[in-house]
């Protein structure tokens, strides 16, 4: 059981850093919008809060970029900024909402071969940006065989294969490349592996 005074709400997102090798570092998002880090989670556990000052809502996902300092946090609420990014391990945060509509986000994933490309799963399918480092990224909906189905999780395998888990349409897969691909191309590339419920 995870217990600490900083845990003032139920966990809604948990991720283990893939970059900490000599001990485990656990990142926990809470339903009240807080983000906590548990260093040495496999032994004594030192707790730190890295919540952004403008975080509102329930944390839906915590993911990492090229290093442990590159952290992506998403929220799944209406009327709030749902896409956040830190380049310094959570010391400071910037909104990457840009022109994204008022839609809750379930999951986020950065293309490791082209860090400008970031995709998010929402209640109405997948959206993407090709200019994530901009102050206000441009987001577009990516139409594909998933349609407007909720995308609950995006996962990346070590060969850059992307898996998109949907609610009601199964799992889609494809491959990230160094070129910015549409999620349609990603989904079509893996259409042979699509599984239906």
């Amino acid at each position: 059981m995870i217990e600490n005074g900083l845990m003032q709400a139920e966990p809604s997102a948990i991720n283990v850093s893939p970059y900490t090798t000599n001990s485990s570092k656990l990142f926990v998002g809470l339903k009240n919008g807080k983000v906590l880090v548990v260093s040495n989670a496999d032994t004594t556990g030192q707790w730190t809060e890295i919540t952004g000052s403008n975080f509102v809502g329930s944390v839906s996902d915590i993911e990492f970029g090229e290093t442990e300092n590159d952290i992506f946090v998403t929220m799944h609420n209406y009327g709030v900024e749902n896409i956040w990014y830190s380049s310094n391990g959570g010391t400071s945060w910037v909104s990457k909402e840009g022109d994204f509509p008022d839609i809750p986000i379930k999951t986020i994933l950065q293309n490791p071969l082209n860090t400008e490309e970031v995709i998010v799963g929402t209640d109405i399918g997948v959206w993407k940006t090709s200019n994530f480092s901009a102050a206000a990224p441009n987001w577009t909906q990516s139409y594909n065989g998933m349609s407007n189905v909720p995308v609950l999780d995006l996962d990346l395998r070590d060969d850059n294969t992307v898996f998109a888990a949907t609610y009601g349409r199964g799992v889609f897969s494809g491959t990230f490349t160094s070129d910015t691909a549409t999620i349609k191309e990603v989904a079509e590339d893996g259409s042979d592996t699509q599984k239906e419920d």
Side-chain angles (χ1 to χ4, degrees):
M1 176 184 284
I2 299 175
E3 289 184 324
N4 187 270
L6 293 174
M7 290 268 301
Q8 299 168 356
E10 294 179 12
S12 53
I14 296 177
N15 203 351
V16 176
S17 169
Y19 298 106
T20 303
T21 55
N22 57 353
S23 65
S24 62
K25 187 178 281 190
L26 183 67
F27 289 72
V28 182
L30 305 180
K31 289 186 176 180
N32 64 359
K34 292 185 180 290
V35 178
L36 310 176
V37 181
V38 187
S39 301
N40 301 312
D42 54 345
T43 57
T44 56
Q46 288 88 44
W47 292 72
T48 308
E49 183 176 345
I50 60 169
T51 306
S53 59
N54 293 313
F55 284 15
V56 177
S58 183
V59 177
S60 57
D61 198 13
I62 302 169
E63 297 294 337
F64 301 95
E66 294 181 296
T67 71
E68 190 172 88
N69 285 326
D70 299 298
I71 306 172
F72 302 82
V73 170
T74 59
M75 306 288 182
H76 52 99
N77 290 75
Y78 289 100
V80 303
E81 291 181 289
N82 285 305
I83 307 169
W84 294 94
Y85 171 70
S86 175
S87 62
N88 53 20
T91 301
S92 62
W93 296 89
V94 291
S95 170
K96 291 297 182 173
E97 195 86 358
D99 61 1
F100 196 79
D102 186 14
I103 305 170
I105 295 177
K106 305 298 184 190
T107 182
I108 189 167
L109 190 62
Q110 184 180 49
N111 180 347
L113 303 175
N114 178 357
T115 56
E116 286 295 318
E117 182 177 28
V118 174
I119 60 177
V120 294
T122 75
D123 280 340
I124 54 171
V126 172
W127 292 66
K128 73 168 189 105
T129 182
S130 303
N131 63 335
F132 188 76
S133 65
N138 301 109
W139 295 90
T140 56
Q141 190 173 18
S142 296
Y143 292 97
N144 54 66
M146 286 184 257
S147 186
N148 285 337
V149 68
V151 176
L152 305 179
D153 195 21
L154 294 167
D155 281 311
L156 183 66
R157 199 166 61 190
D158 58 5
D159 62 355
N160 297 313
T161 299
V162 180
F163 294 94
T166 72
Y167 182 81
R169 292 294 307 271
V171 176
F172 291 76
S173 68
T175 305
F176 271 142
T177 67
S178 57
D179 296 324
T180 301
T182 65
I183 198 66
K184 178 180 179 182
E185 292 168 332
V186 172
E188 286 177 350
D189 181 55
S191 59
D192 292 339
T193 60
Q194 177 182 352
K195 298 177 183 177
E196 297 291 343
D197 286 75

